[in-house]
Amino acid sequence: MGTVTSDGGTYTIWKHQQVNQPAIAGSGLYTFWQYISIRNSPRTSGTITVQNHFDAWSKLGMNLGSMNLQVVAVESWSGSGSASQTVSNGGSGSSSGGTGTGTGTGTGGSSSSCSAVWGQCGGQGWAGATCCASGSTCKASNQWYSQCLP
């Protein structure tokens, strides 16, 4: 689709259609677009200004609609490491946020490790990890989505 430069790096923008996939909230199967920004070069720390990605997606004609879920994923391809993140509302007025941490190893894109805190750990049709990192527990939100909670 395109690229966006933000926070010292360039990201490739992808648009992927999910067909007949379970809903995050509610029940049933839906077809929807998924927007993804993938950083082109690795880094060991930094900030991700998500609004820059939202703006770039909008400029590319990607209809943002209403957001149900935002994921910040860290992957280790043929390596290992850990991640810690803090999510906050950067606007003025009231703010809300949360934190999450995780560790893992990568083996060329597939891994048998457990999901990190705040990651998905189950639900009907889910093919990923069904266990959670130490210190968190897999809790079902509905039949389609379970999440690792501290």
Side-chain angles (χ1 to χ4, degrees):
M1 293 283 315
T3 60
V4 60
T5 300
S6 178
D7 304 308
T10 300
Y11 296 75
T12 299
I13 297 172
W14 293 80
K15 180 179 178 181
H16 174 73
Q17 188 176 38
Q18 294 283 0
V19 178
N20 294 327
Q21 295 298 309
I24 295 167
S27 62
L29 299 177
Y30 298 88
T31 297
F32 56 93
W33 288 104
Q34 189 175 40
Y35 304 145
I36 305 167
S37 293
I38 301 173
R39 189 175 171 92
N40 295 342
S41 59
R43 66 177 176 181
T44 58
S45 66
T47 296
I48 299 172
T49 306
V50 177
Q51 187 64 50
N52 293 345
H53 298 266
F54 293 163
D55 292 344
W57 298 344
S58 181
K59 286 178 186 174
L60 290 170
M62 300 163 98
N63 180 11
L64 301 181
S66 60
M67 180 170 42
N68 292 319
L69 177 69
Q70 174 183 320
V71 175
V72 177
V74 178
E75 295 185 4
S76 173
W77 291 74
S78 299
S80 64
S82 64
S84 175
Q85 64 187 29
T86 300
V87 179
S88 62
N89 179 350
S92 60
S94 64
S95 66
S96 62
T99 60
T101 60
T103 61
T105 59
T107 55
S110 63
S111 176
S112 61
S113 65
C114 294
S115 294
V117 177
W118 305 112
Q120 185 171 355
C121 56
Q124 187 172 331
W126 173 247
T130 56
C131 59
C132 294
S134 178
S136 62
T137 304
C138 190
K139 300 281 186 185
S141 296
N142 57 47
Q143 74 184 66
W144 306 106
Y145 188 79
S146 296
Q147 183 177 30
C148 294
L149 300 175

